[in-house]
Structures are given as C-alpha cells and as structure tokens.
Amino acid sequence: MRVSRLRELKPTILKIGGSVITDKDKELEVRMQTINRLAEEIREASVQNLIIVHGGGSFGHPLAQRYAITEGFKEQTQKAGFSETHHVMTVLNGLFMDALIWRNIPAVSITPSSCIITKNGRIQRFEDAPLKMLLKMGFFPVLYGDAVLDSKLGFTILSGDQLVSMLATKLNAERIVIGVDVDGLYDDDPRVKKTAKMFKHLTLEELKRLESKLGKPTTCDVTGGMFGKIVELLPAIEQGIPVTIVNATKPNYIYKVIKGKKVKGTIIEKE
Amino acid sequence: MRVSRLRELKPTILKIGGSVITDKDKELEVRMQTINRLAEEIREASVQNLIIVHGGGSFGHPLAQRYAITEGFKEQTQKAGFSETHHVMTVLNGLFMDALIWRNIPAVSITPSSCIITKNGRIQRFEDAPLKMLLKMGFFPVLYGDAVLDSKLGFTILSGDQLVSMLATKLNAERIVIGVDVDGLYDDDPRVKKTAKMFKHLTLEELKRLESKLGKPTTCDVTGGMFGKIVELLPAIEQGIPVTIVNATKPNYIYKVIKGKKVKGTIIEKE
C-alpha cells in the first residue's frame, strides 16, 4: 500500500519542445496537426501522474527577443513587449489545452507567471499548492515557458526546461521525457552536420565530459539550444531521475515512451 | 512625496460583469464589439493603478452549472467539467486580453486558479507577489472568475465578485467600479419590473436595511445575481472603500467613471 501510494506521487514529466508544436521559422505559426496527434497519443497512452510542460517556439521566442525580455526591465517600451510575450504564450497554451480537453483528457493549465517569481532568471518562489492538488486529484497539470516577474530584473523569460528541472527535483519525478524535433542527443548539431553521431545512453559523468561538444541552436531560441536544455536537467539527473530524449515529431514516439516502451532516443541516467 | 507614493499604491478595481462582455442567453457567445469598446475606453482614460476583474458570463457559468463545479468534487465525471470550465474562462480572458494588448495597454493576466486556493468556496491562500510586482511596475493586472481548487471541496467556482472584494480589502483600494448591464442598483429587478427604482446613493446602513429587497438573477449565474455581488462587497465598503455601480453596456460610462467624472449609477459608501 505504502509503495503504491509513493509511486502514485512520483509523476512523469513530459516536455514538448516549442520546435515540435510550432514552426520556428515563421512567427506565431502553430503546428495544430502535431498538437492534435500528440494529444491523441497522450490520451491513448492512458497513463497517470503526468505533468506536461511545453515550450514557446515561434510564439514566445521572437517577441521575447525583439523586446529583450530575458535581459530584464530597462525601459518603458519593453512593457508592451512583456504583456505581448506573456499573452502569445497563453494563446499557444490555449491551443494545446483545446486539443487535450476535446479528447476528455483531465488537463488543467497552470500559468507560470501567476505563481512563480524568479531572481536573476532562476526560480525563487513557486506557489505549488494548486499543482500538488491537481496531481493528487488525478488531473494533468500543463505548464509552459513564460514571461515572468523577476525580483532583481523586473521581468525575464522562464524556460520550459528550467520548469521541468525544478518540477522534477521538487516532486522527485519518476522520470523526465523530453520531446524534441531530432532523434536524440548528438555529438554535434544533426540538422547541420551529417556526420553527427547520436548517443543511445549516457551517464552523468559521460555527459559532463561532453558538455563542450553539444549542439548549438540553429534558429532563434532565447533559452538556448540542446546544450542549455541538458544543462538545466543536470540537477534532476544528479538526483537519480532518468531523462529520455525522443523525437516528438515522429508519430507514436511519445505514446511509446510514456507507456514505458523502447523507442529510438537518448537515455541519460546518473550511473 | 510620501502622499503621492501612498496614492500610487491605492488601485482602482474595475469589475466588468460577464453579462456585459458575453450574451448570457447563448453559450460561449462573446460580445467582441463591447470588449473592444471597453478596451478603447480604458486606453483613452489613460489612468494608472488599475486592476481589472471580469466575470464568466456565458463562458464559465453554463459549464460550471452543468457539471455542478460550485458544489465541489463528488464524482469522476466532474473532472472533465472542471478542466473545461477553467479552459473556457482562459479563452474568454484571452479575447479580453487581445483587445487590451492590441491597444498597447500594459495588461497582464493573472490566472486565479494558478495562485488561489479556496476553502469551502472562500479564498484561503493567495500568492499575491506577482500581482503586487505588476502593479508596482505600472502594469494592469487582469483577473477573472475561475474554476479553482478548494482544500475542502476539491474544487469550486471563485466568483469575480469575491476576487474584487478580496483585492480591494487586501490592497486598500481607492475605489471599486462595478460595470453591469443595468444602470445601477434597484429596489427590484429592473429587467423584470418596470416600477423598479434605482438608488443614486446608499450608505452601508441603508444597504443593509435593503438586503432582503435586492434584485434576483433572471438568467443562469452560479455566483448569484446583484444581491450576491453586493453582499460580497460589504467588507470593502465597511473598510471605507466606495463602490460605484454603472452600466458598462452604455458607451463612455466606464471611461467617465474611471476618469472620476459623474455618470448615472449607484454610489455606495460607508457613511
């Protein structure tokens, strides 16, 4: 009984990259078909204790960059930019929620900027009571990268990746699944270099040795590319939470991985 | 200097009723023209320290009623209803935010269910740090009636009116403006009885004597009609915060009242 209750409280954290659900080459371009397919896969997997976090892609990033939101509040003209960046993220989240809720998935969005304050870009306060209650009641909380208030900078951008890492360590997650637009973690950027080699399995130690070689982003991403994503996850991996990186643009990969089935991808474990 | 800083911190709280921005007779029917006009009036008024709260109207109320969300979590089938009710409220809020942000109004939405937990329907916890930071930086926080988590009931509905009252008392607001679809507070329901008489001015004592006579709702409204709205505001009035009730469906009424100009309506003051 105790074991099953403990397991119940250990959620899977599923990150869906902004490059998966939006077209990063065009501003405010949602990939609605992909969102619907992913929602269908999540419904079919019929798992419990799932937290979903999605990125901003071509909704949040171009605006955040145009108004230098990450750098903080320096001039009045940025205020409209902060409002707009947060607003477009709620729009993208709304489209994602639509797809989940139409399929009767008990998903409830949590707005990061309404319950999180950062300090120099790092999460400082997080009112987690709604999230914990949602999980306990069997809902799937859905969060996203957002423009948030920052006690030092005024405001900044909170990446979905930092959110994933914080939630995983705080809730001692069962595992983290990172859905991206490539097959896994490579020793170079696979979208640029054809000779890039994918890692099937990495330990924390191997990962740290590879840090300098990881792929760099090819398009606009204020929160960094694959390198930044993995670095964010180090505290979770250190805590013993395994990370699986898979290609979420390929049908059934997310379905299989959240069902616990084997798919092509990169697994990163502490040891 | 001190006086002006104190005044800066005393916000005006503007409530826009769900019956103003939606057609309560048709489910999910937004009055986009009215929202755009109100956004224009708010922009033209060019005031500071404004908090906006809007109701759910034909977005939140019919769903909340269908799934008995107010009564709390009693069976699994309500879960989809909770997800849906919260979701449609974020959609209505998104439409409202669109109208504000297109006009360069520095408005930022705060999702009540992400930062508030109620207990038996009354606000128990509220993470107010984002709201206070937004105000200090000159943003207009926008909140709304929402489906929220409740530490006793599981979940329930938090009315925009309870939010207004809590925010007003907590922040010691300058005043409260309630925009509805009638001209003010009547001794009977003006939409039903032609003989209903409107009050121009009421003291707290007069109001309490009138409690039993106030109008009842004519259409679906799970949070109660005008009576429920006014009762919610009693603690704020008691604290010395004046309440002005005006018809927000009439052009320029909201503009005038937030500018401090005289318009037809009901003023309720402590003495």
Side-chain angles (χ1 to χ4, degrees):
Chain A
M1 183 59 189
R2 183 124 190 273
V3 172
S4 91
R5 279 191 58 200
L6 275 176
R7 188 185 288 163
E8 250 180 25
L9 294 170
K10 288 183 82 177
T12 292
I13 301 184
L14 171 63
K15 164 89 198 290
I16 301 289
S19 57
V20 174
I21 57 172
T22 72
D23 180 345
K24 283 207 172 184
D25 293 329
K26 295 179 199 157
E27 207 170 320
L28 300 176
E29 187 84 7
V30 68
R31 288 193 169 126
M32 210 56 223
Q33 273 192 315
T34 305
I35 288 180
N36 282 321
R37 176 181 54 75
L38 289 168
E40 198 58 38
E41 291 183 27
I42 290 164
R43 191 192 61 76
E44 276 178 20
S46 166
V47 289
Q48 300 203 319
N49 300 319
L50 188 67
I51 298 177
I52 303 168
V53 177
H54 65 77
S58 69
F59 279 67
H61 293 300
L63 275 169
Q65 208 162 50
R66 189 172 315 143
Y67 291 100
I69 302 301
T70 308
E71 287 73 26
F73 183 24
K74 286 168 185 169
E75 44 185 284
Q76 291 295 323
T77 53
Q78 287 177 295
K79 274 168 66 182
F82 178 80
S83 289
E84 236 182 289
T85 306
H86 169 62
H87 179 55
V88 297
M89 281 310 304
T90 68
V91 172
L92 178 60
N93 177 252
L95 296 170
F96 198 90
M97 297 311 295
D98 257 356
L100 295 172
I101 288 169
W102 284 342
R103 286 170 180 81
N104 235 2
I105 297 167
V108 179
S109 68
I110 292 184
T111 306
S113 55
S114 297
C115 55
I116 292 172
I117 302 262
T118 57
K119 183 180 178 180
N120 286 321
R122 308 303 304 173
I123 294 167
Q124 181 182 24
R125 296 171 67 123
F126 170 40
E127 163 58 298
D128 63 1
L131 178 103
K132 284 182 173 166
M133 278 193 71
L134 286 174
L135 274 179
K136 210 173 150 191
M137 293 166 79
F139 287 105
F140 296 171
V142 181
L143 299 94
Y144 48 95
D146 197 3
V148 299
L149 296 163
D150 186 289
S151 59
K152 285 283 176 194
L153 304 172
F155 49 59
T156 193
I157 295 295
L158 170 64
S159 73
D161 299 300
Q162 187 185 154
L163 261 176
V164 165
S165 186
M166 181 272 282
L167 292 170
T169 51
K170 201 177 176 84
L171 302 168
N172 196 24
E174 185 74 28
R175 63 200 177 118
I176 296 171
V177 175
I178 305 286
V180 287
D181 64 345
V182 290
D183 285 344
L185 183 63
Y186 287 77
D187 61 354
D188 213 327
D189 192 327
R191 287 162 299 193
V192 179
K193 290 216 181 169
K194 282 193 174 166
T195 54
K197 185 183 145 276
M198 195 190 93
F199 299 103
K200 286 189 174 168
H201 188 278
L202 280 171
T203 63
L204 186 61
E205 206 185 318
E206 289 169 331
L207 183 68
K208 284 182 176 172
R209 267 187 267 133
L210 277 163
E211 267 193 32
S212 60
K213 286 169 136 187
L214 295 181
K216 299 283 179 296
T218 51
T219 45
C220 153
D221 180 346
V222 291
T223 64
M226 190 67 97
F227 175 73
K229 290 182 207 304
I230 303 302
V231 167
E232 278 295 357
L233 300 175
L234 285 177
I237 301 164
E238 196 94 52
Q239 196 174 306
I241 302 162
V243 173
T244 310
I245 303 169
V246 288
N247 195 331
T249 69
K250 294 192 175 170
N252 287 318
Y253 274 45
I254 290 297
Y255 167 79
K256 281 182 184 162
V257 77
I258 58 178
K259 279 299 256 189
K261 294 180 183 173
K262 217 180 141 45
V263 285
K264 188 182 177 182
T266 302
I267 294 171
I268 308 173
E269 287 176 302
K270 191 174 181 185
E271 274 159 8
Chain B
M1 182 62 188
R2 186 129 186 271
V3 172
S4 92
R5 279 191 58 201
L6 276 175
R7 189 184 287 162
E8 250 181 25
L9 293 169
K10 288 185 83 176
T12 292
I13 302 185
L14 171 63
K15 164 88 197 290
I16 301 290
S19 58
V20 174
I21 57 171
T22 73
D23 181 345
K24 283 207 171 183
D25 294 328
K26 295 179 198 158
E27 207 170 319
L28 300 176
E29 187 83 4
V30 69
R31 288 193 169 124
M32 210 56 223
Q33 273 192 315
T34 305
I35 289 180
N36 282 322
R37 176 182 54 75
L38 289 168
E40 198 58 37
E41 292 183 26
I42 291 165
R43 190 191 62 76
E44 275 178 21
S46 165
V47 290
Q48 300 203 318
N49 301 318
L50 188 67
I51 299 178
I52 303 169
V53 177
H54 66 76
S58 69
F59 279 67
H61 292 299
L63 275 168
Q65 207 162 53
R66 189 173 316 144
Y67 291 100
I69 302 302
T70 308
E71 288 73 27
F73 184 24
K74 287 169 184 168
E75 45 184 284
Q76 290 296 323
T77 53
Q78 287 177 294
K79 274 166 66 183
F82 177 80
S83 289
E84 236 183 288
T85 306
H86 169 61
H87 179 55
V88 297
M89 282 309 304
T90 67
V91 172
L92 177 60
N93 177 251
L95 296 170
F96 198 89
M97 298 310 295
D98 257 356
L100 296 171
I101 288 168
W102 283 343
R103 285 169 181 81
N104 235 2
I105 297 167
V108 179
S109 68
I110 291 184
T111 306
S113 55
S114 297
C115 55
I116 292 172
I117 302 262
T118 57
K119 183 178 176 181
N120 287 320
R122 308 303 303 172
I123 293 168
Q124 181 183 24
R125 296 169 67 123
F126 169 41
E127 163 58 301
D128 63 0
L131 179 102
K132 285 181 172 168
M133 278 192 71
L134 286 174
L135 275 179
K136 210 173 149 193
M137 293 167 78
F139 287 105
F140 296 172
V142 181
L143 299 93
Y144 48 94
D146 197 4
V148 299
L149 296 163
D150 186 290
S151 60
K152 286 284 175 193
L153 305 172
F155 48 59
T156 192
I157 295 296
L158 170 64
S159 73
D161 299 299
Q162 188 185 154
L163 261 176
V164 165
S165 186
M166 180 273 282
L167 293 171
T169 51
K170 201 177 177 85
L171 303 169
N172 196 25
E174 185 73 28
R175 62 200 178 119
I176 295 172
V177 175
I178 305 286
V180 286
D181 63 346
V182 289
D183 285 344
L185 183 63
Y186 287 76
D187 62 354
D188 212 327
D189 192 329
R191 288 163 300 193
V192 180
K193 291 217 181 166
K194 283 192 174 168
T195 55
K197 185 183 144 279
M198 194 189 93
F199 299 103
K200 285 189 176 168
H201 189 277
L202 280 172
T203 62
L204 186 60
E205 206 184 318
E206 289 169 333
L207 182 69
K208 283 183 177 172
R209 268 187 267 133
L210 278 164
E211 266 194 33
S212 59
K213 285 169 137 187
L214 295 181
K216 299 282 179 297
T218 51
T219 46
C220 151
D221 180 347
V222 290
T223 66
M226 190 67 95
F227 177 71
K229 290 182 206 305
I230 302 303
V231 167
E232 278 295 355
L233 300 176
L234 284 177
I237 302 165
E238 196 94 51
Q239 196 175 306
I241 302 163
V243 174
T244 310
I245 303 169
V246 288
N247 196 330
T249 69
K250 293 191 175 170
N252 287 318
Y253 274 46
I254 290 297
Y255 167 79
K256 281 181 185 164
V257 77
I258 58 178
K259 279 299 256 189
K261 293 179 183 176
K262 218 180 141 47
V263 286
K264 188 182 178 182
T266 302
I267 294 171
I268 308 172
E269 287 175 301
K270 191 174 180 185
E271 274 158 8

